[in-house]
Amino acid sequence: MIDLRSDTVTRPTPAMRRAMAEAEVGDDVFGEDPETTLLEQEVAELLGHEAGLFTPSGSMANQLGLRLLVGPGEELLADVQAHVVRAELGAAAVFSGITTRTWASERGRLVAESVQEIAEPNAGAYSVSTTAIAVENTHNFGGGTVQPQLEVRAVQDFGRAHGIGLHLDGARLWNAHVASGTSFRELASGFDTVSVCMSKGLGAPVGSVLVSSAERIAAARIWRKRYGGGMRQTGILAAGARYALHEHVDRLAEDHANARTIAAALDVDPGTVDTNIVFAEVSDPAAFVAAAAAAGVRVMQLGRTTVRIVTHLDVSAEDAEQAARVLAALPPLRRDRRTDRVSDAGDRSVRRPR
């Protein structure tokens, strides 16, 4: 079975397992786990921030970052498809009392003007004030979109000018770095808080890291414990994350190439495939997913007409080519080029967006 549902389904490599088995450990709640401390320091330095905090999940890293910037009853702005809005189960509202408004986008691509149009800093006593903006890079539900740095800088300049905090959901920042050639420091600079995920793309089994100032990370450590995220001998996990950070970043280019192979077979516009995520529009996603699984390829339905395909560490170039052949042969993706329609096995059809 070739599993293309997500880049979180990877399994630790033998070398990663050895690093985890041999990790020196201590009690991290007491600040005594050396592997975890090294991971936090290395990620913070890589991203150009003062300090880091290891968390069990990307959602917790994001939520801690937002909590540091937005008070109860204050407003966070985010993309309408942002992970912090769509995929974290309302945690910002439930845990932190944060209210959220969103801007529309195409493929999750950031346009500074869209953010500026809805921001309401210092809204007074009768409206909710915007106190933070969240940017996602790469953008998951946008299809692995790499954010344009000029637009990011424009949002940051606006935020600083109006006293608005800035959070970067960089779960797949690794992919943005490899695809764009932009350094990690440049990608993470100008943000008050940044989260990165060690299990998306890099292949570690568990964990994310939040980076910020030393003062903010000290506060986040307290909130992590309140949220139930204080862990003990985390060095076993941190060692896997450190191995991934040292060994698996550059190879992400292979995932991007494999994604383009699959996209080409499915006649997906290559301009929509920035990194390792492919979105295919089909007439019946549920039927497509089931047929793909029966043929040995697992993909994921995402919305009423979309299937998501994600390449990763456990998918070789040969696997990608095999998956491409299987998926391209499925009836829901047969295309009548004379009518520019995607036809399923029956008589129904839907127009494929160009």
Side-chain angles (χ1 to χ4, degrees):
M1 183 68 72
I2 301 171
D3 196 339
L4 299 172
R5 291 172 299 165
S6 176
D7 48 4
T8 60
V9 302
T10 56
R11 292 152 297 181
T13 65
M16 184 185 291
R17 288 180 183 271
R18 285 194 297 273
M20 296 170 70
E22 296 169 3
E24 183 181 356
V25 298
D27 192 319
D28 186 54
V29 171
F30 293 151
E32 296 175 354
D33 189 279
E35 284 283 349
T36 303
T37 299
L38 282 172
L39 174 67
E40 292 168 344
Q41 292 172 343
E42 288 174 355
V43 174
E45 182 178 355
L46 182 69
L47 300 181
H49 286 253
E50 286 184 341
L53 181 68
F54 183 62
T55 68
S57 71
S59 292
M60 181 175 283
N62 276 334
Q63 292 307 315
L64 290 173
L66 297 179
R67 173 154 218 128
L68 298 173
L69 303 178
V70 190
E74 295 177 342
E75 181 176 79
L76 170 72
L77 298 186
D79 182 272
V80 70
Q81 300 179 82
H83 193 278
V84 296
V85 173
R86 288 191 63 190
E88 297 184 13
L89 304 181
V94 172
F95 294 145
S96 303
I98 295 172
T99 182
T100 306
R101 279 192 302 136
T102 59
W103 67 83
S105 71
E106 182 178 354
R107 293 186 54 240
R109 193 173 299 280
L110 184 66
V111 176
E113 185 178 357
S114 299
V115 184
Q116 296 164 8
E117 286 177 350
I118 67 169
E120 291 287 347
N122 304 313
Y126 303 104
S127 298
V128 179
S129 293
T130 302
T131 54
I133 298 166
V135 175
E136 187 175 332
N137 195 16
T138 66
H139 198 294
N140 179 10
F141 293 123
T145 302
V146 177
Q147 300 296 359
Q149 279 299 103
L150 287 177
E151 298 298 324
V152 171
R153 292 288 176 252
V155 169
Q156 291 175 334
D157 291 343
F158 175 80
R160 281 191 293 270
H162 293 88
I164 298 173
L166 296 152
H167 174 70
L168 174 62
D169 177 357
R172 293 183 176 89
L173 201 65
W174 328 110
N175 298 87
H177 160 72
V178 170
S180 68
T182 307
S183 72
F184 285 116
R185 282 192 170 227
E186 185 173 350
L187 290 170
S189 69
F191 289 97
D192 299 300
T193 54
V194 179
S195 68
V196 288
C197 184
M198 313 308 296
S199 64
K200 290 187 174 74
L202 295 191
V206 176
S208 289
V209 178
L210 176 72
V211 302
S212 187
S213 66
E215 181 180 6
R216 286 197 180 99
I217 290 301
R221 191 174 294 274
I222 295 170
W223 279 106
R224 184 186 68 173
K225 185 71 164 62
R226 287 196 179 113
Y227 285 171
M231 300 173 288
R232 301 299 180 175
Q233 286 72 35
T234 50
I236 295 172
L237 300 176
R242 289 187 67 218
Y243 181 89
L245 183 64
H246 298 161
E247 302 295 333
H248 290 169
V249 172
D250 291 342
R251 64 147 307 281
L252 290 171
E254 301 171 23
D255 296 345
H256 301 174
N258 290 338
R260 290 191 292 271
T261 295
I262 295 171
L266 301 186
D267 202 18
V268 172
D269 181 356
T272 67
V273 185
D274 290 355
T275 52
N276 66 322
I277 301 177
V278 178
F279 278 4
E281 296 299 316
V282 301
S283 56
D284 189 340
F288 184 85
V289 169
V297 179
R298 300 188 77 177
V299 296
M300 179 179 179
Q301 180 176 350
L302 195 70
R304 292 187 296 272
T305 63
T306 305
V307 169
R308 189 181 77 160
I309 302 158
V310 187
T311 55
H312 52 76
L313 177 68
D314 288 354
V315 175
S316 66
E318 292 75 18
D319 290 334
E321 291 168 359
Q322 171 64 12
R325 287 191 291 269
V326 168
L327 297 177
L330 296 181
L333 268 177
R334 289 177 182 164
R335 180 174 176 178
D336 185 337
R337 296 184 182 276
R338 293 170 298 176
T339 61
D340 191 29
R341 289 177 177 270
V342 184
S343 301
D344 64 15
D347 295 328
R348 296 169 296 163
S349 62
V350 295
R351 186 168 300 278
R352 179 193 294 271
R354 287 191 178 275

